[in-house]
Amino acid sequence: MIERLEATQKRYQEIENALTKEETLSDIKKTKELSKELADLEEVVTCYRTYTKLLQDIEDTKEMVKDKELGEMAKEELTSLEEQKAKLEQELEYLLIPKDPNDDKNVIVEIRGAAGGDEANIFAGDLFRMYSRYAEKKGYKIDVYDAIEGEAGGYSQIEFMIKGQGAYSKFKYESGSHRVQRVPTTESNGRLQTSTATVLVMPEAEEVDIEIKPSDLRIDIFRSSGCGGQGVNTTDSAVRITHLPTNTVVTCQNERSQIQNKEQAMKVLKSRLYEQKVREQEEKEGSMRRSKIGTGDRAEKIRTYNYPQNRVTDHRIGFTTKNLDRIMDGDLDEVIDALTFEDQKRKLLKEETV
């Protein structure tokens, strides 16, 4: 571990030096890349420098233990320093876990009502509200690009982008089937019903991530049918793009202009194709898939929301909380932090066994 930390610190210093040189600063792309790498390494280096200072403090305190007058006080101080050392070592282990390259990206989310008819669509709407509230609390921005409203409320399908630094790191564990247990407003006999909605989360693809040939696309233009404000339904502005080699279809109809809808649809298409590409790669590397929290497939049941007991259970890690009301209002940190911690723990164990 120390060798890796020393190498990280050396690289950090090299980048600091490079960013003071005129030839680096004159290259905007290079400066941006190095600045991002510096920021990614900063937390590790800061923690390691604290750790090295602590080691020196421990050695100094061991010398003080030998002093007749200060010995007892030094022993107490040494115990405290050793406890700090153990905590820092654990923190450094987690910080050295390779970072997901997608963590800082925006995300594209699709929510669909599944089993349960109208109640499933209403629950899909509840999930959208939950994610919207959580995104708002994190300072993220949400752009809806396509939505099909349910007859009794909610959505049979809603697709949107969440924009903000680190958005993917917060939402990446949400893909899968979400199950709700409650007495629906559509149920006249007061019976408990179980319904599901599926969620798919994808990182926004960058230009370098995926290449699409214009000849592989079929683009259809039609009149918007969703809500989008005055004028959105009066012109042929909605866009449907089909990627012919994979038969992947993306629709965008919530922007006012055809050009805006086409740009948004292309972003989503690139992200879908990128997600498929990553999934195929992970299937080849079976060990990576096994170490992940869940498969990320829509069909995998990941979480149950039980309204009568005010309970939320994430089945992938066996996590349960009795704060369903707060979670549905966007207080998702409790669940996401538990998933992040478990993910880091599994990655650490995988590294130790390699």
Side-chain angles (χ1 to χ4, degrees):
M1 184 178 78
I2 297 299
E3 288 178 1
R4 291 174 65 187
L5 288 165
E6 284 290 342
T8 302
Q9 181 167 250
K10 183 181 178 183
R11 176 58 183 159
Y12 185 85
Q13 291 167 341
E14 287 173 352
I15 298 170
E16 278 188 320
N17 292 334
L19 287 172
T20 63
K21 295 177 180 177
E22 192 173 332
E23 58 265 32
T24 303
L25 297 174
S26 61
D27 186 336
I28 296 174
K29 184 180 178 183
K30 186 68 173 176
T31 300
K32 187 177 179 181
E33 288 174 356
L34 288 176
S35 297
K36 185 181 183 305
E37 187 179 353
L38 190 76
D40 290 341
L41 297 177
E42 187 169 9
E43 189 177 6
V44 181
V45 172
T46 300
C47 188
Y48 181 50
R49 287 173 178 172
T50 302
Y51 178 73
T52 53
K53 183 181 182 303
L54 185 64
L55 291 181
Q56 185 58 55
D57 290 344
I58 288 173
E59 291 304 313
D60 294 342
T61 306
K62 284 180 178 178
E63 289 298 318
M64 291 172 62
V65 170
K66 300 173 186 177
D67 189 289
K68 291 182 180 179
E69 295 181 5
L70 300 175
E72 287 304 316
M73 190 184 300
K75 283 180 183 178
E76 292 180 11
E77 177 68 14
L78 187 60
T79 301
S80 174
L81 291 173
E82 291 288 358
E83 289 173 357
Q84 292 177 48
K85 176 174 173 281
K87 289 179 182 178
L88 274 177
E89 285 174 344
Q90 186 178 44
E91 185 176 348
L92 284 167
E93 284 180 341
Y94 284 117
L95 287 173
L96 284 173
I97 296 170
K99 188 179 178 183
D100 187 330
N102 293 319
D103 273 354
D104 290 335
K105 293 182 180 180
N106 299 330
V107 294
I108 290 169
V109 184
E110 299 177 9
I111 305 175
R112 296 181 185 179
D118 287 339
E119 171 62 8
N121 294 341
I122 292 170
F123 180 49
D126 293 339
L127 290 177
F128 173 65
R129 178 181 177 275
M130 176 182 77
Y131 291 138
S132 299
R133 290 288 183 90
Y134 180 67
E136 182 183 349
K137 290 175 183 181
K138 292 295 177 185
Y140 300 151
K141 181 184 176 185
I142 284 190
D143 286 338
V144 176
Y145 61 86
D146 192 30
I148 303 173
E149 295 181 355
E151 291 183 6
Y155 301 95
S156 63
Q157 181 175 327
I158 183 165
E159 304 174 10
F160 53 98
M161 180 178 287
I162 302 173
K163 299 179 180 178
Q165 185 74 18
Y168 185 72
S169 70
K170 297 297 183 184
F171 286 89
K172 64 183 177 181
Y173 305 112
E174 294 304 300
S175 288
S177 178
H178 296 241
R179 182 175 70 170
V180 63
Q181 295 174 324
R182 63 186 176 189
V183 178
T185 54
T186 55
E187 172 59 60
S188 58
N189 295 321
R191 290 177 298 185
L192 189 71
Q193 181 176 321
T194 298
S195 306
T196 60
T198 61
V199 177
L200 177 64
V201 177
M202 300 170 286
E204 182 185 16
E206 297 174 357
E207 291 297 325
V208 294
D209 290 334
I210 201 82
E211 183 181 353
I212 299 175
K213 297 176 183 177
S215 59
D216 288 340
L217 300 178
R218 185 179 74 235
I219 300 176
D220 301 308
I221 309 299
F222 59 99
R223 186 156 295 182
S224 297
S225 59
C227 55
Q230 187 176 357
V232 78
N233 301 322
T234 59
T235 59
D236 292 337
S237 60
V239 175
R240 181 187 300 109
I241 300 179
T242 304
H243 184 250
L244 300 173
T246 61
N247 199 33
T248 302
V249 181
V250 173
T251 301
C252 185
Q253 58 179 326
N254 279 35
E255 300 294 342
R256 281 183 170 272
S257 78
Q258 184 186 125
I259 294 173
Q260 288 175 315
N261 280 324
K262 184 179 177 182
E263 287 177 352
Q264 187 72 284
M266 282 301 296
K267 283 184 181 180
V268 177
L269 177 61
K270 285 179 181 178
S271 297
R272 285 197 185 184
L273 295 177
Y274 175 67
E275 195 268 344
Q276 289 175 19
K277 180 181 172 184
V278 170
R279 189 176 294 275
E280 288 169 5
Q281 185 65 28
E282 288 181 351
E283 292 296 344
K284 291 178 184 177
E285 301 169 4
S287 59
M288 183 184 294
R289 170 67 71 187
R290 287 192 295 273
S291 69
K292 289 182 70 175
I293 292 191
T295 63
D297 295 329
R298 279 191 191 274
E300 182 191 20
K301 183 182 75 176
I302 65 167
R303 197 175 296 153
T304 296
Y305 304 75
N306 184 297
Y307 274 72
Q309 298 179 27
N310 198 40
R311 186 185 76 232
V312 175
T313 299
D314 195 288
H315 305 290
R316 295 165 295 179
I317 61 172
F319 175 84
T320 297
T321 176
K322 293 279 192 173
N323 294 319
L324 179 145
D325 51 342
R326 289 171 52 191
I327 285 168
M328 296 308 294
D329 198 39
D331 289 340
L332 267 170
D333 277 328
E334 183 181 7
V335 180
I336 289 173
D337 287 350
L339 287 160
T340 302
F341 177 77
E342 179 63 24
D343 189 29
Q344 290 177 333
K345 189 169 75 172
R346 291 184 187 185
K347 285 177 179 175
L348 188 61
L349 287 172
K350 181 174 178 288
E351 280 213 330
E352 289 174 351
T353 55
V354 169

